[in-house]
Amino acid sequence: MTRRPGQGPGTTRPARSADGYTWRAIAASADDAWGTDSRGNQLFGENLCLESAQLLGDDPNADPWN
């Protein structure tokens, strides 16, 4: 199974850094994984990155999060 953002904080960081996902792309991928309907909302993606960074003990204002 391919792991994508929305399948936990450990999948969001690689998508944001190595794959270059924007906050909108993170949100759209989470919509696909969870069945939510943010329609790729940038603020939803930003919040997912913020929460993921905090869960991983990373600084959400540092690369690759911001």
Side-chain angles (χ1 to χ4, degrees):
M1 172 171 90
T2 302
R3 294 188 57 103
R4 300 182 337 227
Q7 295 177 318
T11 60
T12 303
R13 188 177 202 277
R16 184 77 172 133
S17 60
D19 298 335
Y21 277 44
T22 63
W23 286 331
R24 290 180 199 276
I26 296 286
S29 184
D31 285 343
D32 290 343
W34 295 337
T36 52
D37 189 24
S38 80
R39 299 181 184 166
N41 181 282
Q42 182 173 342
L43 295 177
F44 181 58
E46 181 180 11
N47 286 333
L48 289 174
C49 288
L50 173 68
E51 293 297 322
S52 294
Q54 291 174 342
L55 284 170
L56 294 170
D58 290 347
D59 178 356
N61 295 313
D63 284 339
W65 295 107
N66 195 354

